[in-house]
Amino acid sequence: MRDVVVVEAVRTPIGKGRASGALAGIHPADLLARSLTALVERTGIDPAVIDDVIAGCVTQIGEQAVNIGRTAVLGAGFPESVPATTVDRQCGSSQQAVHFAAQGIAAGAYDVVVACGVESMSRVPMGSDFPEGTDVYGSLHDARYPDGIPHQGVGAELIAAKWDLSRTRLDEFALRSHANAQRATDAGLFADELVALPELDRDEGIRPGGTLESMGGLKTVFRDPAAEKLYPHLDWRLTAGSSSQISDASAAILLTSAEYAERNGLRPIARVHSAAVAGDDPVFRLTALIPATHKVLARAGLSIDEIGLFEVSEAFASVPLAWQAETGADPERVNVNGGAIGLGHPVGASGARLMTTLVHEMRRRGVRYGLQAMCEGGGLSNATVLELVD
């Protein structure tokens, strides 16, 4: 098995996923092409040598349909010989793209792969691929889960209740995410990873200056009568402020074998040390990052204390807080530059965005090991351990 390295990783700024957002005027294929173009420019690599482009995208309908990975490759001006595919593992889609790329390189099927992701939630709204009334599960699934699968907000409330996460703790975590994102922005810590666009040169959704008092004035948003009947113990703690933002962005990562990088004068940032995927209760929906973390650490032969930095999905504040409680991760090492609450959550791009931020921060701090874990719809998770290349 060959070593797989991350040579470069870039992302666009994250725009608000609404019609008034700064990136809403950009077609999603063009938005991904911006990251692909920047990746090639920064590495100096000839795009003709890319064996495959693997793109993550969740809502593959409308402007994001018909294999948006291939559309973006052609839009970026890559040779027509460069293939591409588009994958969906919900919010972990572009982290799964990294896993597929790394597996192909390790096995010798590839030498050079771009793993990337995009989501324009302003132009292709989440859920538009299953219109109201669509049966997305089928009779066999319904027989196994006769009470149905609640939406993710209810899943996040179930997590908050099970791990006894108070409204105050959830709000405190959300405030930290915005504060860390603002601090990182002001200090220029995203400079090496950002692809500044004419439309937007910094992340648009950061809201600094919030207080527990202002957060306390926000209404809870996920209460619904059907869920109340099924889960009468829920007291509804999550608000828009303690939930991730709907966003637009893209990100792209160049991976090669270590031998290819050395032979071609490419300087890697990190090695893909270990990778794992896991499943968990689909009713809770968002807890699989806990077993995925245990699984990838066991595969890596590392303890949680040996990980210097974590990038963990902030779909809702209850998710990383429950994950911290179960893994024992040092909270001071988690999402040190903000997460999806402070920065935004462009779902198909989020896995690649988190990894982009992680590898650049590992290099900046000289941290040997970093771990990324995503919660994903359906009770799924990807987890990855990265090792800094000296």
Side-chain angles (χ1 to χ4, degrees):
M1 298 281 281
R2 302 190 299 175
D3 277 350
V4 180
V5 294
V6 172
V7 172
E8 183 59 278
V10 301
R11 67 175 181 91
T12 68
I14 303 171
K16 295 179 181 179
R18 60 184 69 163
S20 60
L23 303 183
I26 305 176
H27 190 287
D30 295 341
L31 187 58
L32 179 53
R34 305 272 189 104
S35 285
L36 295 175
T37 300
L39 190 71
V40 167
E41 289 175 348
R42 293 190 187 187
T43 58
I45 197 167
D46 180 354
V49 306
I50 298 171
D51 293 307
D52 206 355
V53 174
I54 306 174
C57 184
V58 174
T59 309
Q60 296 181 33
I61 194 172
E63 292 179 341
Q64 294 181 164
V66 199
N67 189 5
I68 192 171
R70 173 63 171 172
T71 307
V73 161
L74 297 175
F78 288 12
E80 294 175 347
S81 59
V82 178
T85 190
T86 306
V87 300
D88 172 12
R89 200 191 285 272
Q90 297 294 279
C91 298
S93 295
S94 51
Q95 187 174 357
Q96 182 61 57
V98 172
H99 284 200
F100 282 152
Q103 290 157 1
I105 293 168
Y110 296 138
D111 291 313
V112 182
V113 186
V114 173
C116 56
V118 66
E119 205 80 31
S120 177
M121 301 175 80
S122 61
R123 298 173 70 104
V124 187
M126 186 167 54
S128 57
D129 52 343
F130 53 95
E132 186 175 353
T134 302
D135 178 6
V136 296
Y137 292 117
S139 60
L140 296 178
H141 181 281
D142 290 348
R144 182 171 183 177
Y145 300 99
D147 290 333
I149 303 296
H151 62 72
Q152 291 195 22
V154 175
E157 291 281 5
L158 289 169
I159 294 168
K162 180 176 179 178
W163 275 271
D164 193 23
L165 301 168
S166 69
R167 168 73 183 264
T168 298
R169 286 195 69 194
L170 298 170
D171 288 349
E172 286 174 340
F173 185 91
L175 289 170
R176 174 185 180 271
S177 184
H178 282 281
N180 283 354
Q182 186 63 52
R183 176 193 50 77
T185 299
D186 291 344
L189 302 187
F190 295 135
D192 289 343
E193 65 191 66
L194 275 179
V195 179
L197 305 178
E199 299 85 353
L200 186 65
D201 63 1
R202 60 171 51 198
D203 300 307
E204 189 177 22
I206 304 171
R207 298 186 298 272
T211 65
L212 279 177
E213 289 72 24
S214 63
M215 291 288 285
L218 298 175
K219 294 181 179 180
T220 57
V221 290
F222 298 118
R223 184 192 302 267
D224 73 70
E228 285 187 307
K229 289 180 181 178
L230 286 172
Y231 313 110
H233 65 290
L234 294 182
D235 56 4
W236 310 101
R237 306 171 190 180
L238 287 151
T239 70
S242 53
S243 306
S244 58
Q245 301 178 48
I246 293 172
S247 307
D248 301 340
S250 70
I253 300 169
L254 180 66
L255 300 104
T256 74
S257 68
E259 296 90 338
Y260 184 95
E262 183 176 5
R263 190 167 65 246
N264 289 277
L266 299 171
R267 185 179 179 185
I269 303 172
R271 179 171 74 95
V272 180
H273 187 288
S274 302
V277 293
D280 204 12
D281 186 345
V283 174
F284 277 73
R285 297 185 69 117
L286 306 168
T287 54
L289 73 175
I290 296 168
T293 296
H294 293 312
K295 189 174 181 179
V296 79
L297 287 172
R299 186 163 289 167
L302 297 170
S303 70
I304 196 78
D305 293 334
E306 291 178 274
I307 305 299
L309 285 171
F310 300 91
E311 283 289 335
V312 179
S313 175
E314 287 182 5
F316 305 90
S318 56
V319 173
L321 287 171
W323 173 86
Q324 287 176 23
E326 292 298 315
T327 62
D330 180 353
E332 295 303 312
R333 303 179 187 180
V334 178
N335 299 358
V336 296
N337 293 331
I341 293 173
L343 291 165
H345 188 15
V347 287
S350 286
R353 198 288 295 171
L354 265 67
M355 190 167 291
T356 295
T357 299
L358 178 58
V359 296
H360 284 285
E361 190 64 15
M362 287 172 63
R363 180 167 64 182
R364 194 179 73 83
R365 295 188 180 210
V367 166
R368 182 175 182 185
Y369 295 115
L371 186 149
Q372 175 181 335
M374 292 288 295
C375 62
E376 302 156 2
L380 299 171
S381 177
N382 287 71
T384 316
V385 171
L386 300 167
E387 182 178 13
L388 192 68
V389 173
D390 294 330

